[in-house]
Amino acid sequence: MAEDSEVGREQSYLDLLYARLDLLRARTAEDLAAVRREGPSGTPQNRSERDAFATLHEQRLAQLEAVEDRLAFGRIDLTDGDRRYIGRLGLSDEERTQLLVDWRAPAARSFYQATAAAPHDVVRRRHFATRGRSVVGVEDEVLDLDALPEGDRSTLAGEGALMAAVGARRTGRMADIVATIQAEQDRVIRSDLTGALVVQGGPGTGKTAVALHRAAYLLYTHRERLARSGVLLVGPNPLFLRYIEQVLPSLGETGVVMSTAAELFPGVSAVEEIRPGVAALKGDLRMARVLDRAVRDRQRVPDSRRKLVVEGTTLELAPERVAAARGRARRTRKPHNMAREGFLRDLLDQLAGDLARAIGTDLDADSREDLLSDLRDSADVRRELNLAWMPLDPRRTLADLFADPDRLAVVAPDLTSHERRLLHRERGSAWTVADVPLLDELAELLGEDGTADRLAAHAAQAARMSELEHARDTLSMGVGSGLVSAEQLADRFADSGPTLTVAERAESDRTWAYGHLVVDEAQELSPMMWRLLMRRVPSRSLTLVGDVAQVGSPAGTSSWATVLDPYVAGRWRLEELTVNYRTPAQVMRVAADTLAAAGVSASTPESVREGDSPPAARRIAAGDLVAVVDAVRSELGQLGAGRLAVVTVAGTDDALRDGLAAALPPGTVGRGRATLDSPVSVLAVPAVKGLEFDGVIVVEPADILAGSPRGANDLYVALTRPTQRLLVLHSADLPPGMDALTPT
């Protein structure tokens, strides 16, 4: 058969590609082993070069290991007779002949963008399906029939590869779409690096997949620039990050920092804000003014003259002198802790002059340091200067502010008394996601504490002395005697730590400037969170994906212009994805009607397939766990394999999860970050954003609708998660717009 012979031909070529991949892996592993065998020896420059080579080989080996699955997935035949195989990375033979074209390379562009109307010199585009290292099928699209060789006929025609991917069972992990990227998606992926790109698209349009493939494309195309600064990807929650974590490695990229908003302030792991209205208030831009006033409020002038005893001599500190020094420090526009150093030097210099006059000595270079030392040793001086301008820490400052209603009243006159009460919280309370941008704002206002830097320097010096002492003890026992000095040996101890990648260094450094930022579910972020993110990317090179019709956070946005114009006015562009590859049309119609009935205006994407199972509804008694268990069993039976989500209003998911886990066989219901690894996931609406499942059971849609100010958007999100089946369980009447559901 023609198809069998074509499969055989492609299998031979695939064998050639994997043989080359195996050889490159073996060589890279040998090179890495050789570098590691050298050990921690040589000059500092040699050690630095060795570490750099080791890191290079480690990254290359990780890249070669990550592309094992579906190494090659297609080819294009061109009018000039050229044939290009397209895959996850580029491969060449020993003579540098191209064997496989990286999907991101310009030479691969026509694989995604060629059509019958605009073939771009492509005669035929071939997709092949693989299982492991075996070709199991091929599909051809002939774009220029006249250019096809005589007697050469296509094995298949149409969109079989795309529809196979759309209908495939879900595994609990996002799969890349590199083999089936569509033309509108490819245009977005290959868009310019500069400026801000907003990718707006409804459910199932592949926004997340496009964002991830764009990150991989940019890292490939702008390797030199982005390798130094890195790419930051911000997702909505830890479950989502786990869902997508294998996509970039499968595309040959391992250097992207992935984070949730809760993790963007180093050292803080925040929880969700559960108090109504608090997240929206903390995300309001008025909080930037509140925090600025809070810092300035800690720069104080005493209300009267203060007596200072210095080595038995009494001096006076006048309020007007403190006020003048404060004014000079503020005019430097330095952050609080950095300006504090100038403030202290200013007053200490003045007090040194007072002290010199009081004890009858000249203030010259020889006496000045002694006088300053006496002033610093004075408890009175330290107390009064610290009270006037304390070194501040972001966490302590914010905790103190929210715990003190009187201070809040002073620094937050723009807030109502009700809003100030919402901000009140006891010291020691857990940090919330809404606190993260406030902590970051304070860190900018405060700057680094010079005192802390000096302590760190002292600690480093102490560590150095300890290393030298250890080295001397080692040499005294005859180890290495005559070969190295104690200083050289100590250097070797100090340089034996791990070499951090750009991603690892960036993740732990709040001030790191990334080369590019990718934000998923960008419509959910508050104005204060946008301030934080813009500080992370001074170049304003951004890829933002989202759907304003799906915004659920009260602090989120329904206008991209409102978010971006303050930062990149005139330098942002909007691309819209219009095709829904996930949600069957009959399910999408129910979701769109429900959203419209709630008064939310949004353009919904067009689904590529009608779907085989009509969405259904079943009335149950309120709180009837047995009915939910029966529905889960039935849906699992209908799905056979794949993943089922039970989606409910926030606050009821834990109890429902526990009940289902107790009633169903062990391992059926997942928990925590690994919940997607199990057949059934029980999730509240905020956790389900960005995810997709073969089947979805929505429990009590009326509760979801009434559960938040954006309840209609939340219900729309819940209804648009399935790729195959949707069942709605309800005790109250169905919300308007859900009339098309089939009663069961």
Side-chain angles (χ1 to χ4, degrees), residues 429-444:
S429 301
W431 296 114
T432 69
V433 178
D435 291 322
V436 168
L438 306 185
L439 291 168
D440 198 74
E441 187 81 18
L442 278 171
E444 287 292 307

Side-chain angles (χ1 to χ4, degrees), residues 246-320:
Q246 67 184 26
V247 175
L248 282 166
S250 75
L251 297 173
E253 297 298 342
T254 58
V256 175
V257 176
M258 296 201 299
S259 175
T260 66
E263 301 163 319
L264 286 173
F265 191 85
V268 168
S269 183
V271 299
E272 289 296 328
E273 179 64 73
I274 61 173
R275 292 180 294 165
V278 175
L281 176 58
K282 289 181 177 179
D284 194 304
L285 285 178
R286 290 178 296 167
M287 291 303 300
R289 295 194 296 272
V290 170
L291 297 176
D292 183 62
R293 291 193 194 101
V295 172
R296 292 173 71 86
D297 183 60
R298 302 295 289 271
Q299 300 162 2
R300 299 168 179 169
V301 175
D303 54 8
S304 62
R305 290 176 172 269
R306 296 290 192 262
K307 293 191 179 300
L308 311 174
V309 177
V310 181
E311 292 291 319
T313 301
T314 301
L315 306 177
E316 280 195 345
L317 182 65
E320 56 269 21

Side-chain angles (χ1 to χ4, degrees), residues 235-241 260 271-274 433 520-521 523-524 550-554 646-654 657 676 682-691 693 703-705 707-711 713-719 721:
N237 54 60
L239 188 63
F240 173 85
L241 293 185
T260 66
V271 299
E272 289 296 328
E273 179 64 73
I274 61 173
V433 178
D520 205 322
E521 303 293 346
Q523 76 279 353
E524 301 295 338
Q550 297 186 64
V551 61
S553 169
V646 180
V647 184
T648 184
V649 68
T652 64
D653 48 316
D654 287 340
R657 184 184 301 107
L676 299 179
V682 181
L683 300 167
V685 177
V688 84
K689 281 183 178 288
L691 307 182
F693 303 87
D703 290 348
I704 295 175
L705 187 62
S708 77
R710 305 288 182 103
N713 305 75
D714 287 345
L715 185 53
Y716 180 66
V717 169
L719 294 171
R721 298 305 98 192

Side-chain angles (χ1 to χ4, degrees), residues 301-376:
V301 175
D303 54 8
S304 62
R305 290 176 172 269
R306 296 290 192 262
K307 293 191 179 300
L308 311 174
V309 177
V310 181
E311 292 291 319
T313 301
T314 301
L315 306 177
E316 280 195 345
L317 182 65
E320 56 269 21
R321 180 179 278 182
V322 176
R326 182 180 69 173
R328 287 189 288 271
R330 284 177 172 177
R331 285 193 292 274
T332 67
R333 299 187 178 278
K334 293 180 179 179
H336 172 92
N337 288 326
M338 298 172 67
R340 176 179 182 266
E341 296 181 9
F343 171 81
L344 295 179
R345 283 196 303 270
D346 192 338
L347 286 180
L348 286 171
D349 283 343
Q350 295 183 56
L351 289 171
D354 294 346
L355 182 58
R357 287 188 290 273
I359 64 177
T361 187
D362 293 330
L363 184 62
D364 53 27
D366 293 333
S367 63
R368 185 175 181 278
E369 287 304 317
D370 291 337
L371 294 172
L372 289 174
S373 178
D374 290 342
L375 288 167
R376 293 190 185 100

